Amino acid sequence: MDQHGRHVEEPQDGEGESVAPGGIVVGVDGSEHGQCALVWAAREAERRQLPLHIVTAYSVPIFAASGLDGGYATVDDSVIREGAEAIVKQAMEKVSGYAIDVDASVENGDASGVLLDLSADAALLVFGSRGRGGFVGRLLGSVSSALPAHAKCPTVTVPLYCADRLGENTEDKHIKAEHAKAGPRNVENVVVVGVDGSEQARVAVLEAAEQAQRMGAKLRVICAVPQYSGSLAWVPAPLDRDALFADIRVQLDAGVAWLRSHFPKLTVETELKDGSPVDVLVEASRGVELIVLGTRGRGGFAGMLLGSTSDGVLHHAKGPVLVVPDREDPRLADRANFGPMLGAV
């Protein structure tokens, strides 16, 4: 126990250990990106009153030897492990002021595989948009590209761009230049969810509504329609596109009526945008608390979700992005009772 009455455990070896079911898992690697992910995850754990599990992963490099005695050589495992343990201890100290239970582990293995395994028992998996590289395996590049599409629980990717809103500093010259160019910005207490008429998007809407309630935020449902691409290529004239937008508006309104039946106290608004879903959602991410997406979409008139759109948003977003895996939800059963559904043609 610490002075806040929280239970704090020392870092453990990963062998035989598993995060408590329903907790929040955050991957750290000592980078600024990992620090942003850690702070966001700690705030979310406090908001949900769930335990936080901090994890770092490493693998021992193997080098091919040269010369007559050709073969393979490995680096001393203990030296690498000590460095990894120092990273998680520093992370635990950083979140010591939060009213949450915290534990940590050092795992031996590929970072993607380790976090994917932990996602089976976690309520949420959080990581930075990319990491330092090096022995703990970087958390983006392969890691945060792979996890949102394959994790068993929802994932949150936290970009370094939003370090300032988390009270963190960054020495990244590109981020500093972007902030200087963009100027002062206000972050609305709004959760944005992208929809495209797919069942996966409706699952994402439900998760987004729950998250908005937890954050005391407004929910904004956005449908973006790209210019004459994919299944929109047949649209022959602006009049037809106007009619298409009118139909989508009717379906969005029906979806909001359905959502309000399950979340009667939630403030919900909709936006129908003309443009690329990636561009629209990336721009929205600059000024809202969270963007929510499904793992994959219909690929129909609104062109979304994981494949090109979710992947594009994840790599360019200026704020946290929550990706919701496809799953069954009994609340989907009554959606048709509220009117026409997006894409149901």
Side-chain angles (χ1 to χ4, degrees), residues 188-253:
E188 294 182 271
N189 191 23
V190 171
V191 172
V192 164
V193 58
V195 299
D196 69 345
S198 64
E199 194 82 339
Q200 290 81 11
R202 282 187 277 275
V203 170
V205 166
L206 292 169
E207 182 72 27
E210 291 174 355
Q211 185 65 22
Q213 282 197 158
R214 280 191 289 265
M215 300 176 82
K218 180 191 303 182
L219 179 65
R220 183 174 298 154
V221 181
I222 293 182
C223 181
V225 183
Q227 283 286 341
Y228 303 100
S229 62
S231 61
L232 285 178
W234 55 269
V235 178
L239 180 63
D240 294 317
R241 191 169 176 83
D242 289 344
L244 176 64
F245 269 66
D247 286 344
I248 294 174
R249 171 58 63 191
V250 170
Q251 294 159 25
L252 278 174
D253 290 345

Side-chain angles (χ1 to χ4, degrees), residues 18-47:
S18 62
V19 64
I24 293 177
V25 174
V26 58
V28 299
D29 62 358
S31 68
E32 290 182 337
H33 294 261
Q35 295 295 296
C36 288
L38 175 64
V39 171
W40 195 95
R43 291 183 180 183
E44 185 65 15
E46 194 169 58
R47 187 157 39 231

Side-chain angles (χ1 to χ4, degrees), residues 15-315:
E15 296 179 5
E17 298 290 331
S18 62
V19 64
I24 293 177
V25 174
V26 58
V28 299
D29 62 358
S31 68
E32 290 182 337
H33 294 261
Q35 295 295 296
C36 288
L38 175 64
V39 171
W40 195 95
R43 291 183 180 183
E44 185 65 15
E46 194 169 58
R47 187 157 39 231
R48 298 192 189 195
Q49 284 300 286
L50 291 176
L52 179 66
H53 181 76
I54 301 168
V55 61
T56 195
Y58 76 96
S59 54
V60 180
I62 299 177
F63 301 96
S66 60
L68 296 177
D69 297 325
Y72 293 93
T74 61
V75 175
D76 184 1
D77 173 88
S78 62
V79 174
I80 298 176
R81 175 169 286 276
E82 286 175 6
E85 289 173 349
I87 287 173
V88 295
K89 286 179 180 178
Q90 181 185 41
M92 291 179 74
E93 291 172 2
K94 189 175 184 67
V95 299
S96 62
Y98 291 86
I100 52 176
D101 290 343
V102 184
D103 69 355
S105 66
V106 174
E107 307 284 344
N108 189 344
D110 172 72
S112 297
V114 166
L115 292 174
L116 188 61
D117 287 345
L118 290 173
S119 75
D121 294 316
L124 189 69
L125 189 60
V126 184
F127 37 84
S129 56
R130 64 178 181 271
R132 69 163 70 249
F135 66 84
V136 289
R138 58 205 196 281
L139 294 170
L140 202 82
S142 62
V143 177
S144 52
S145 290
L147 286 174
H150 302 290
K152 302 300 188 295
C153 68
T155 63
V156 173
T157 305
V158 184
L160 186 58
Y161 186 90
C162 66
D164 57 343
R165 70 168 84 169
L166 295 168
E168 293 294 297
N169 297 316
T170 175
E171 297 303 316
D172 188 295
K173 61 182 181 180
H174 300 293
I175 300 296
K176 286 184 172 182
E178 280 193 76
H179 283 167
K181 184 178 179 181
R185 62 197 171 108
N186 293 321
V187 177
E188 294 182 271
N189 191 23
V190 171
V191 172
V192 164
V193 58
V195 299
D196 69 345
S198 64
E199 194 82 339
Q200 290 81 11
R202 282 187 277 275
V203 170
V205 166
L206 292 169
E207 182 72 27
E210 291 174 355
Q211 185 65 22
Q213 282 197 158
R214 280 191 289 265
M215 300 176 82
K218 180 191 303 182
L219 179 65
R220 183 174 298 154
V221 181
I222 293 182
C223 181
V225 183
Q227 283 286 341
Y228 303 100
S229 62
S231 61
L232 285 178
W234 55 269
V235 178
L239 180 63
D240 294 317
R241 191 169 176 83
D242 289 344
L244 176 64
F245 269 66
D247 286 344
I248 294 174
R249 171 58 63 191
V250 170
Q251 294 159 25
L252 278 174
D253 290 345
V256 169
W258 163 69
L259 192 60
R260 285 176 174 152
S261 73
H262 293 286
F263 299 89
K265 296 182 180 180
L266 183 65
T267 300
V268 184
E269 61 185 32
T270 61
E271 288 187 4
L272 181 54
K273 296 282 192 176
D274 193 343
S276 157
V278 172
D279 292 344
V280 167
L281 292 170
V282 168
E283 182 60 29
S285 72
R286 294 177 181 273
V288 299
E289 289 289 351
L290 186 68
I291 299 290
V292 183
L293 300 171
T295 50
R296 63 181 184 275
R298 176 180 302 280
F301 63 79
M304 299 189 60
L305 296 179
L306 198 68
S308 60
T309 297
S310 288
D311 204 37
V313 173
L314 283 167
H315 283 80

